[in-house]
Amino acid sequence: MVTIYDVPADDLIEAVAARLEDRIDEPDWVEFTKSGAGKELPPEQDDFWYVRSASLLRKVAQNEPVGIERLATEYGSKKRGSNRYSVRPGEHEGGSRKLIRSALQALEAEGLVTTASGEGRRVSDEGEAFLSEVATEVFEDLDRPELERYA
Protein backbone atom coordinates (compact mmCIF):
# COMPACT_ATOMS: atom_id res chain seq x y z
CA MET A 1 0.00 0.00 0.00
CA VAL A 2 1.34 3.42 -0.97
CA THR A 3 1.37 6.16 1.67
CA ILE A 4 1.91 9.91 1.52
CA TYR A 5 5.58 9.36 2.35
CA ASP A 6 6.18 7.29 -0.81
CA VAL A 7 5.41 10.02 -3.35
CA PRO A 8 6.83 13.52 -3.87
CA ALA A 9 4.94 16.17 -1.91
CA ASP A 10 4.29 18.54 -4.81
CA ASP A 11 2.77 15.79 -6.98
CA LEU A 12 0.59 14.58 -4.12
CA ILE A 13 -0.63 18.09 -3.24
CA GLU A 14 -1.46 18.81 -6.88
CA ALA A 15 -3.52 15.60 -7.19
CA VAL A 16 -5.31 16.11 -3.86
CA ALA A 17 -6.13 19.72 -4.80
CA ALA A 18 -7.71 18.54 -8.06
CA ARG A 19 -9.88 16.10 -6.11
CA LEU A 20 -10.83 18.66 -3.46
CA GLU A 21 -12.25 21.02 -6.10
CA ASP A 22 -15.24 18.66 -6.35
CA ARG A 23 -15.61 18.13 -2.61
CA ILE A 24 -15.22 21.51 -0.87
CA ASP A 25 -16.41 25.00 -1.71
CA GLU A 26 -14.14 28.01 -1.98
CA PRO A 27 -15.27 30.99 0.15
CA ASP A 28 -15.98 34.26 -1.65
CA TRP A 29 -13.35 36.20 0.29
CA VAL A 30 -10.39 34.01 -0.72
CA GLU A 31 -9.52 35.98 -3.84
CA PHE A 32 -9.04 39.16 -1.77
CA THR A 33 -7.19 37.83 1.27
CA LYS A 34 -3.45 37.62 1.82
CA SER A 35 -1.88 34.35 2.88
CA GLY A 36 -0.15 35.98 5.85
CA ALA A 37 0.80 39.26 7.48
CA GLY A 38 4.23 39.11 5.87
CA LYS A 39 2.76 39.32 2.37
CA GLU A 40 1.82 42.47 0.49
CA LEU A 41 -0.56 40.98 -2.08
CA PRO A 42 -2.96 38.04 -2.29
CA PRO A 43 -1.75 34.87 -4.03
CA GLU A 44 -1.98 34.86 -7.83
CA GLN A 45 -2.94 31.19 -8.26
CA ASP A 46 -6.50 30.54 -9.41
CA ASP A 47 -6.73 27.35 -7.35
CA PHE A 48 -4.91 28.68 -4.28
CA TRP A 49 -7.68 27.63 -1.86
CA TYR A 50 -7.60 24.00 -3.00
CA VAL A 51 -3.80 23.81 -3.07
CA ARG A 52 -3.58 25.25 0.46
CA SER A 53 -6.33 22.88 1.67
CA ALA A 54 -4.50 19.90 0.15
CA SER A 55 -1.25 21.05 1.72
CA LEU A 56 -2.95 21.43 5.10
CA LEU A 57 -4.43 17.95 4.84
CA ARG A 58 -0.97 16.53 4.14
CA LYS A 59 0.60 18.51 7.02
CA VAL A 60 -2.07 17.34 9.45
CA ALA A 61 -1.54 13.73 8.33
CA GLN A 62 2.20 14.02 8.90
CA ASN A 63 2.19 15.90 12.22
CA GLU A 64 -1.06 14.94 13.91
CA PRO A 65 -2.33 16.19 16.29
CA VAL A 66 -1.51 19.69 15.17
CA GLY A 67 -3.06 23.04 16.05
CA ILE A 68 -3.71 26.17 14.06
CA GLU A 69 -0.92 28.11 15.76
CA ARG A 70 1.74 25.61 14.73
CA LEU A 71 0.37 25.46 11.19
CA ALA A 72 0.42 29.27 11.02
CA THR A 73 4.09 29.18 12.00
CA GLU A 74 4.86 26.67 9.24
CA TYR A 75 3.01 28.69 6.60
CA GLY A 76 4.54 31.99 7.69
CA SER A 77 7.20 34.07 5.99
CA LYS A 78 9.61 36.88 6.68
CA LYS A 79 8.01 40.28 7.05
CA ARG A 80 10.31 42.81 5.49
CA GLY A 81 8.06 45.82 5.20
CA SER A 82 7.43 47.46 1.86
CA ASN A 83 9.48 46.48 -1.15
CA ARG A 84 10.75 50.03 -1.42
CA TYR A 85 11.97 50.44 2.13
CA SER A 86 13.87 47.31 3.03
CA VAL A 87 16.16 48.81 5.67
CA ARG A 88 16.38 46.16 8.35
CA PRO A 89 16.42 42.36 8.54
CA GLY A 90 13.07 40.65 8.26
CA GLU A 91 11.34 38.96 11.17
CA HIS A 92 9.22 35.84 10.95
CA GLU A 93 5.51 36.52 10.70
CA GLY A 94 2.91 33.75 10.90
CA GLY A 95 0.54 32.74 8.14
CA SER A 96 -3.13 33.67 8.03
CA ARG A 97 -4.89 31.83 10.85
CA LYS A 98 -8.35 32.54 9.42
CA LEU A 99 -7.35 30.97 6.12
CA ILE A 100 -6.00 27.89 7.89
CA ARG A 101 -8.99 27.63 10.24
CA SER A 102 -11.51 27.98 7.41
CA ALA A 103 -9.76 25.37 5.28
CA LEU A 104 -9.60 22.93 8.20
CA GLN A 105 -13.29 23.53 8.94
CA ALA A 106 -14.14 22.78 5.30
CA LEU A 107 -12.07 19.59 5.45
CA GLU A 108 -13.75 18.70 8.73
CA ALA A 109 -17.22 19.21 7.25
CA GLU A 110 -16.20 16.85 4.46
CA GLY A 111 -15.14 14.24 7.03
CA LEU A 112 -11.42 14.21 6.20
CA VAL A 113 -10.22 15.83 9.44
CA THR A 114 -11.43 15.53 13.04
CA THR A 115 -10.86 17.70 16.10
CA ALA A 116 -9.13 16.09 19.06
CA SER A 117 -10.25 18.08 22.06
CA GLY A 118 -7.37 19.96 23.65
CA GLU A 119 -4.82 18.57 21.18
CA GLY A 120 -5.61 19.94 17.74
CA ARG A 121 -6.68 18.36 14.47
CA ARG A 122 -6.18 14.78 13.29
CA VAL A 123 -6.86 13.05 9.99
CA SER A 124 -9.93 10.83 10.14
CA ASP A 125 -10.02 7.26 8.85
CA GLU A 126 -11.81 8.50 5.74
CA GLY A 127 -9.10 11.13 5.28
CA GLU A 128 -6.33 8.53 5.54
CA ALA A 129 -8.08 6.35 2.98
CA PHE A 130 -8.51 9.36 0.69
CA LEU A 131 -4.83 10.30 0.93
CA SER A 132 -3.69 6.70 0.39
CA GLU A 133 -5.93 6.37 -2.66
CA VAL A 134 -4.58 9.57 -4.20
CA ALA A 135 -0.99 8.60 -3.31
CA THR A 136 -1.48 5.25 -5.07
CA GLU A 137 -2.69 6.99 -8.22
CA VAL A 138 0.18 9.48 -8.12
CA PHE A 139 2.70 6.68 -7.61
CA GLU A 140 1.35 4.76 -10.60
CA ASP A 141 1.50 7.88 -12.81
CA LEU A 142 5.07 8.77 -11.83
CA ASP A 143 7.70 8.21 -14.45
CA ARG A 144 10.72 8.40 -12.21
CA PRO A 145 13.23 5.57 -12.40
CA GLU A 146 14.77 6.35 -8.99
CA LEU A 147 11.46 5.40 -7.32
CA GLU A 148 11.30 1.96 -8.95
CA ARG A 149 13.04 0.33 -5.98
CA TYR A 150 10.08 1.27 -3.75
CA ALA A 151 7.49 -0.47 -5.92
Side-chain angles (χ1 to χ4, degrees):
M1 185 164 114
V2 180
T3 64
I4 62 173
Y5 303 104
D6 299 331
V7 294
D10 54 346
D11 294 335
L12 178 69
I13 290 171
E14 184 179 312
V16 171
R19 288 252 190 119
L20 286 178
E21 286 184 20
D22 299 333
R23 294 184 75 165
I24 62 175
D25 295 327
E26 179 181 21
D28 298 333
W29 49 264
V30 169
E31 62 186 278
F32 306 112
T33 189
K34 300 188 306 181
S35 61
K39 302 291 184 182
E40 285 192 44
L41 298 171
E44 293 180 359
Q45 290 176 304
D46 292 333
D47 61 344
F48 168 75
W49 174 257
Y50 302 107
V51 171
R52 179 59 60 99
S53 298
S55 177
L56 280 166
L57 184 60
R58 181 180 165 275
K59 287 262 191 208
V60 170
Q62 283 184 323
N63 305 322
E64 60 184 357
V66 63
I68 292 173
E69 191 67 32
R70 195 162 102 200
L71 288 169
T73 301
E74 290 188 29
Y75 284 102
S77 63
K78 281 192 173 189
K79 184 172 184 177
R80 295 191 172 122
S82 172
N83 285 335
R84 285 188 279 168
Y85 305 112
S86 191
V87 294
R88 67 178 194 154
E91 295 178 4
H92 186 270
E93 191 70 37
S96 172
R97 287 160 185 79
K98 176 168 176 65
L99 190 73
I100 293 170
R101 189 179 313 108
S102 299
L104 286 174
Q105 287 171 349
L107 291 171
E108 196 169 350
E110 194 59 35
L112 301 174
V113 174
T114 59
T115 301
S117 63
E119 296 177 346
R121 301 280 199 322
R122 294 181 183 268
V123 174
S124 66
D125 294 336
E126 182 183 339
E128 284 186 33
F130 174 73
L131 284 173
S132 294
E133 178 184 329
V134 175
T136 303
E137 289 179 10
V138 168
F139 190 78
E140 291 170 357
D141 292 342
L142 283 178
D143 186 28
R144 296 180 62 182
E146 68 268 11
L147 294 178
E148 289 294 323
R149 63 177 172 232
Y150 298 114

